[in-house]
Amino acid sequence: MSVLIGPETAAPAETLASVTRRLAPLARDRRWQLGLVATAVFLLAVAGTGYRYTPVVAAAPDPAAAVARPSRDLHRMLAARARLASALRSRVPHGTHIVIDQTHNRLRLMRGETLLLEAPCSAGSGMILKEGSHGRVWVFDTPRGAFEVLSRVENPVWRKPDWAFVEEGQPIPQDPGDRFEYGSLGEYALYFGDGYMIHGTLYERLIGRPVSHGCIRLGREPLRELWRSTALGTPIYIY
Amino acid sequence: MPKPRLPTPLVVALTAAVLGGTAHGARPRPDPAEEAARARLRRATAQLRQQLALSSRTGFYLRLDAWRGTLALVLQGVVLEEHRITRLERGEPRIVFVRRGLPEDWDVAAFSGGELDPPRERDRIEIVAPEPSTGAAGPGSETIPGPPPIPATAEESYSVPSRYRIVFNEGVTIEIRSAGGARNRSVLQRLADAASLWTHDRAGALRWSRNDRVRLRVELAAEDAAALYRSLPPDIRLVILGTAAD
């Protein structure tokens, strides 16, 4: 077994010596010295610029707990805070409400803070439909915000809007009766304004994907549960 | 018989002593614990008032609760989703090692116009409708369109950076970091993330007067950080709760 010593180990030392020899005159040059000092100062300044992070100091929810004998003034402040907290609680629905995460296609039915039902749903696809001849454009988004159940319909009939015909390459019917479609919305529909509703679907295999035209599609069983548990005025929160 | 009279300076001194003693008795020395409790209560009440104002509006807001260690997306007081914070830090700008300090009540203001940085881009599918067929309209039509394309889910369409920011108009930036999220990124992506953060930190500190007065570094579980990035509504507001003065 042979060990290589020689050029392989000597070369770096020679290179270093050669570099040192070449740099020696530069190190004596005043301009180079100034340049080096300026670079060092600049790097130091950059290193000292930015943000200094410290843990956030949290405060206990009851600041008066540490006071042995709270004064009347402190009691007054505590009462004012309690009123604010109570006003805040009164805004939160304590009854049944629906929360829809349209990004992840999940629907939750809540009573106060209790989860009654969680199920996959299908929200708006976000697709853009352009009509060739008239130049109309539709964007199939589900709206975000706070809504409420405005009407409840059993065995709903879909009155197809213009885009439904345009999308299928069909002429828009002159007779309003030609717009009605039976069975495609499932067993129930809960309308929450501007033509949007929570309803069933014929395409249950696509539930969980964003495939609707803006409505919320739900599977048969969760829709039945939703129908049983909600009423007119039930709040709906979509985000 | 002449009355005995006290010398005038003595009368003045006695009166001053009596009055001073009375005044001292009327205003007892304040209890330091109570003073501290008042200050904390004032802060907590101001933060609660901000939250109440936000819950009366129609827009979404983020509620960062330092005491409970949670970051929640809220609409009209209803918590839509809530994430546990694993680490919460506050960044104070400094320029050449000189601390710029923060306004005392930096955490009781209302923060608005929050937007993601880098912004979330949604790739929308565009369809140009076919020309209508000449046949009869309605269900009896013979037109059989091809199946519409199925859009990707949010998980499939958005790439979530391991660190991102929510920048508010009032000079507060929340930097969201995902705990362990960097493991899913390549070495190059991690280097790019670190370089981006380094540059933003320097630029933010130098622009201190206009923007980025306060940085809040919030660490969430990787899936929570990703969920928040995907679902954060635009133009979000922020309320901070449960913080104490330094």
Side-chain angles (χ1 to χ4, degrees), chain B residues 85-107:
Chain B
I85 296 172
T86 51
R87 201 172 65 182
L88 177 60
E89 291 176 322
R90 190 189 68 180
E92 192 179 333
R94 59 180 191 161
I95 297 177
V96 195
F97 298 103
V98 178
R99 292 170 59 181
R100 304 301 305 262
L102 297 175
E104 194 186 338
D105 289 339
W106 66 270
D107 51 350

mmCIF file of all heavy atoms in Angstrom, chain B residues 85-107:
data_model
loop_
_atom_site.group_PDB
_atom_site.id
_atom_site.type_symbol
_atom_site.label_atom_id
_atom_site.label_comp_id
_atom_site.label_asym_id
_atom_site.label_seq_id
_atom_site.Cartn_x
_atom_site.Cartn_y
_atom_site.Cartn_z
ATOM 1 N N ILE B 85 -50.082 28.759 18.611
ATOM 2 C CA ILE B 85 -48.774 29.363 18.347
ATOM 3 C C ILE B 85 -47.720 28.610 19.168
ATOM 4 O O ILE B 85 -47.879 28.454 20.380
ATOM 5 C CB ILE B 85 -48.765 30.858 18.740
ATOM 6 C CG1 ILE B 85 -49.755 31.634 17.871
ATOM 7 C CG2 ILE B 85 -47.380 31.453 18.640
ATOM 8 C CD1 ILE B 85 -49.963 33.076 18.307
ATOM 9 N N THR B 86 -46.685 28.138 18.497
ATOM 10 C CA THR B 86 -45.647 27.428 19.243
ATOM 11 C C THR B 86 -44.540 28.375 19.715
ATOM 12 O O THR B 86 -43.821 28.065 20.655
ATOM 13 C CB THR B 86 -45.026 26.303 18.391
ATOM 14 O OG1 THR B 86 -44.634 26.857 17.130
ATOM 15 C CG2 THR B 86 -46.028 25.194 18.149
ATOM 16 N N ARG B 87 -44.387 29.504 19.060
ATOM 17 C CA ARG B 87 -43.411 30.502 19.522
ATOM 18 C C ARG B 87 -43.868 31.875 19.042
ATOM 19 O O ARG B 87 -44.301 32.009 17.899
ATOM 20 C CB ARG B 87 -42.021 30.202 18.969
ATOM 21 C CG ARG B 87 -40.920 30.862 19.778
ATOM 22 C CD ARG B 87 -39.560 30.412 19.340
ATOM 23 N NE ARG B 87 -39.260 30.836 17.984
ATOM 24 C CZ ARG B 87 -38.135 30.539 17.347
ATOM 25 N NH1 ARG B 87 -37.239 29.789 17.925
ATOM 26 N NH2 ARG B 87 -37.923 30.960 16.128
ATOM 27 N N LEU B 88 -43.767 32.855 19.940
ATOM 28 C CA LEU B 88 -44.196 34.215 19.590
ATOM 29 C C LEU B 88 -43.114 35.193 20.031
ATOM 30 O O LEU B 88 -42.776 35.267 21.213
ATOM 31 C CB LEU B 88 -45.527 34.537 20.289
ATOM 32 C CG LEU B 88 -46.092 35.940 20.089
ATOM 33 C CD1 LEU B 88 -46.351 36.234 18.619
ATOM 34 C CD2 LEU B 88 -47.392 36.105 20.872
ATOM 35 N N GLU B 89 -42.588 35.921 19.069
ATOM 36 C CA GLU B 89 -41.530 36.888 19.375
ATOM 37 C C GLU B 89 -41.848 38.227 18.736
ATOM 38 O O GLU B 89 -42.582 38.286 17.762
ATOM 39 C CB GLU B 89 -40.184 36.389 18.834
ATOM 40 C CG GLU B 89 -39.655 35.185 19.561
ATOM 41 C CD GLU B 89 -38.367 34.673 18.935
ATOM 42 O OE1 GLU B 89 -38.258 34.701 17.693
ATOM 43 O OE2 GLU B 89 -37.498 34.237 19.687
ATOM 44 N N ARG B 90 -41.259 39.255 19.323
ATOM 45 C CA ARG B 90 -41.456 40.601 18.794
ATOM 46 C C ARG B 90 -40.112 41.144 18.340
ATOM 47 O O ARG B 90 -39.128 41.063 19.088
ATOM 48 C CB ARG B 90 -42.019 41.490 19.899
ATOM 49 C CG ARG B 90 -42.480 42.830 19.420
ATOM 50 C CD ARG B 90 -42.800 43.705 20.586
ATOM 51 N NE ARG B 90 -41.588 44.051 21.336
ATOM 52 C CZ ARG B 90 -41.579 44.811 22.413
ATOM 53 N NH1 ARG B 90 -42.692 45.264 22.896
ATOM 54 N NH2 ARG B 90 -40.449 45.093 23.034
ATOM 55 N N GLY B 91 -40.067 41.656 17.141
ATOM 56 C CA GLY B 91 -38.817 42.199 16.615
ATOM 57 C C GLY B 91 -38.817 43.710 16.678
ATOM 58 O O GLY B 91 -39.781 44.363 16.277
ATOM 59 N N GLU B 92 -37.727 44.215 17.216
ATOM 60 C CA GLU B 92 -37.609 45.671 17.344
ATOM 61 C C GLU B 92 -36.530 46.130 16.364
ATOM 62 O O GLU B 92 -35.432 45.569 16.355
ATOM 63 C CB GLU B 92 -37.178 45.986 18.778
ATOM 64 C CG GLU B 92 -37.284 47.418 19.143
ATOM 65 C CD GLU B 92 -36.844 47.599 20.592
ATOM 66 O OE1 GLU B 92 -36.958 46.655 21.383
ATOM 67 O OE2 GLU B 92 -36.371 48.682 20.905
ATOM 68 N N PRO B 93 -36.833 47.140 15.528
ATOM 69 C CA PRO B 93 -35.820 47.530 14.534
ATOM 70 C C PRO B 93 -34.601 48.176 15.173
ATOM 71 O O PRO B 93 -34.709 48.887 16.167
ATOM 72 C CB PRO B 93 -36.574 48.526 13.649
ATOM 73 C CG PRO B 93 -37.735 48.977 14.437
ATOM 74 C CD PRO B 93 -38.058 47.925 15.430
ATOM 75 N N ARG B 94 -33.451 47.917 14.606
ATOM 76 C CA ARG B 94 -32.222 48.589 15.044
ATOM 77 C C ARG B 94 -31.368 48.872 13.823
ATOM 78 O O ARG B 94 -31.351 48.089 12.858
ATOM 79 C CB ARG B 94 -31.459 47.768 16.077
ATOM 80 C CG ARG B 94 -31.059 46.422 15.573
ATOM 81 C CD ARG B 94 -30.303 45.636 16.603
ATOM 82 N NE ARG B 94 -29.731 44.458 15.938
ATOM 83 C CZ ARG B 94 -28.740 43.746 16.413
ATOM 84 N NH1 ARG B 94 -28.201 44.065 17.564
ATOM 85 N NH2 ARG B 94 -28.273 42.699 15.758
ATOM 86 N N ILE B 95 -30.730 50.008 13.879
ATOM 87 C CA ILE B 95 -29.870 50.412 12.766
ATOM 88 C C ILE B 95 -28.473 50.605 13.325
ATOM 89 O O ILE B 95 -28.280 51.405 14.252
ATOM 90 C CB ILE B 95 -30.395 51.697 12.097
ATOM 91 C CG1 ILE B 95 -31.781 51.426 11.501
ATOM 92 C CG2 ILE B 95 -29.438 52.173 11.016
ATOM 93 C CD1 ILE B 95 -32.439 52.623 10.884
ATOM 94 N N VAL B 96 -27.511 49.881 12.793
ATOM 95 C CA VAL B 96 -26.121 49.894 13.265
ATOM 96 C C VAL B 96 -26.102 49.748 14.791
ATOM 97 O O VAL B 96 -25.558 50.598 15.508
ATOM 98 C CB VAL B 96 -25.362 51.151 12.791
ATOM 99 C CG1 VAL B 96 -23.866 50.949 12.972
ATOM 100 C CG2 VAL B 96 -25.655 51.456 11.343
ATOM 101 N N PHE B 97 -26.734 48.719 15.272
ATOM 102 C CA PHE B 97 -26.779 48.355 16.688
ATOM 103 C C PHE B 97 -27.548 49.353 17.560
ATOM 104 O O PHE B 97 -27.595 49.201 18.773
ATOM 105 C CB PHE B 97 -25.362 48.166 17.271
ATOM 106 C CG PHE B 97 -24.607 47.058 16.605
ATOM 107 C CD1 PHE B 97 -23.624 47.336 15.670
ATOM 108 C CD2 PHE B 97 -24.892 45.745 16.894
ATOM 109 C CE1 PHE B 97 -22.929 46.323 15.040
ATOM 110 C CE2 PHE B 97 -24.200 44.713 16.267
ATOM 111 C CZ PHE B 97 -23.221 45.004 15.337
ATOM 112 N N VAL B 98 -28.130 50.387 16.979
ATOM 113 C CA VAL B 98 -28.883 51.364 17.772
ATOM 114 C C VAL B 98 -30.353 50.972 17.726
ATOM 115 O O VAL B 98 -30.965 50.940 16.649
ATOM 116 C CB VAL B 98 -28.709 52.803 17.220
ATOM 117 C CG1 VAL B 98 -29.542 53.784 18.039
ATOM 118 C CG2 VAL B 98 -27.255 53.183 17.241
ATOM 119 N N ARG B 99 -30.918 50.666 18.894
ATOM 120 C CA ARG B 99 -32.329 50.263 18.953
ATOM 121 C C ARG B 99 -33.215 51.470 18.706
ATOM 122 O O ARG B 99 -32.967 52.548 19.242
ATOM 123 C CB ARG B 99 -32.639 49.657 20.319
ATOM 124 C CG ARG B 99 -31.951 48.327 20.527
ATOM 125 C CD ARG B 99 -32.055 47.857 21.950
ATOM 126 N NE ARG B 99 -33.444 47.702 22.363
ATOM 127 C CZ ARG B 99 -33.813 47.318 23.580
ATOM 128 N NH1 ARG B 99 -32.908 47.088 24.495
ATOM 129 N NH2 ARG B 99 -35.075 47.177 23.877
ATOM 130 N N ARG B 100 -34.236 51.278 17.874
ATOM 131 C CA ARG B 100 -35.110 52.401 17.557
ATOM 132 C C ARG B 100 -36.253 52.545 18.545
ATOM 133 O O ARG B 100 -36.950 53.540 18.547
ATOM 134 C CB ARG B 100 -35.697 52.242 16.147
ATOM 135 C CG ARG B 100 -34.663 52.079 15.065
ATOM 136 C CD ARG B 100 -33.710 53.277 15.016
ATOM 137 N NE ARG B 100 -34.404 54.522 14.864
ATOM 138 C CZ ARG B 100 -34.578 55.148 13.717
ATOM 139 N NH1 ARG B 100 -34.096 54.637 12.631
ATOM 140 N NH2 ARG B 100 -35.219 56.292 13.662
ATOM 141 N N GLY B 101 -36.467 51.549 19.373
ATOM 142 C CA GLY B 101 -37.548 51.637 20.364
ATOM 143 C C GLY B 101 -38.911 51.510 19.704
ATOM 144 O O GLY B 101 -39.043 51.632 18.497
ATOM 145 N N LEU B 102 -39.923 51.223 20.509
ATOM 146 C CA LEU B 102 -41.276 51.071 19.978
ATOM 147 C C LEU B 102 -42.202 52.016 20.727
ATOM 148 O O LEU B 102 -41.966 52.322 21.888
ATOM 149 C CB LEU B 102 -41.767 49.636 20.189
ATOM 150 C CG LEU B 102 -40.993 48.535 19.475
ATOM 151 C CD1 LEU B 102 -41.519 47.183 19.888
ATOM 152 C CD2 LEU B 102 -41.113 48.714 17.984
ATOM 153 N N PRO B 103 -43.277 52.464 20.067
ATOM 154 C CA PRO B 103 -44.265 53.266 20.794
ATOM 155 C C PRO B 103 -44.839 52.421 21.934
ATOM 156 O O PRO B 103 -44.993 51.201 21.790
ATOM 157 C CB PRO B 103 -45.342 53.543 19.747
ATOM 158 C CG PRO B 103 -44.748 53.187 18.444
ATOM 159 C CD PRO B 103 -43.642 52.238 18.678
ATOM 160 N N GLU B 104 -45.132 53.073 23.052
ATOM 161 C CA GLU B 104 -45.559 52.320 24.240
ATOM 162 C C GLU B 104 -46.809 51.483 23.975
ATOM 163 O O GLU B 104 -46.914 50.344 24.404
ATOM 164 C CB GLU B 104 -45.818 53.299 25.395
ATOM 165 C CG GLU B 104 -45.938 52.600 26.722
ATOM 166 C CD GLU B 104 -46.349 53.571 27.811
ATOM 167 O OE1 GLU B 104 -46.131 54.781 27.649
ATOM 168 O OE2 GLU B 104 -46.912 53.105 28.808
ATOM 169 N N ASP B 105 -47.768 52.068 23.244
ATOM 170 C CA ASP B 105 -49.033 51.366 23.009
ATOM 171 C C ASP B 105 -49.103 50.772 21.609
ATOM 172 O O ASP B 105 -50.144 50.815 20.962
ATOM 173 C CB ASP B 105 -50.207 52.334 23.231
ATOM 174 C CG ASP B 105 -50.360 52.654 24.694
ATOM 175 O OD1 ASP B 105 -49.870 51.858 25.521
ATOM 176 O OD2 ASP B 105 -50.958 53.687 25.012
ATOM 177 N N TRP B 106 -48.019 50.221 21.146
ATOM 178 C CA TRP B 106 -47.974 49.692 19.786
ATOM 179 C C TRP B 106 -48.998 48.579 19.574
ATOM 180 O O TRP B 106 -49.457 48.349 18.473
ATOM 181 C CB TRP B 106 -46.578 49.170 19.463
ATOM 182 C CG TRP B 106 -46.196 47.970 20.277
ATOM 183 C CD1 TRP B 106 -45.566 48.003 21.488
ATOM 184 C CD2 TRP B 106 -46.447 46.609 19.987
ATOM 185 N NE1 TRP B 106 -45.406 46.731 21.959
ATOM 186 C CE2 TRP B 106 -45.947 45.844 21.060
ATOM 187 C CE3 TRP B 106 -47.047 45.935 18.933
ATOM 188 C CZ2 TRP B 106 -46.024 44.459 21.109
ATOM 189 C CZ3 TRP B 106 -47.124 44.552 18.971
ATOM 190 C CH2 TRP B 106 -46.615 43.829 20.042
ATOM 191 N N ASP B 107 -49.371 47.886 20.651
ATOM 192 C CA ASP B 107 -50.221 46.705 20.504
ATOM 193 C C ASP B 107 -51.693 46.970 20.765
ATOM 194 O O ASP B 107 -52.488 46.039 20.790
ATOM 195 C CB ASP B 107 -49.739 45.585 21.430
ATOM 196 C CG ASP B 107 -49.566 46.065 22.846
ATOM 197 O OD1 ASP B 107 -49.638 47.290 23.060
ATOM 198 O OD2 ASP B 107 -49.371 45.233 23.747
#
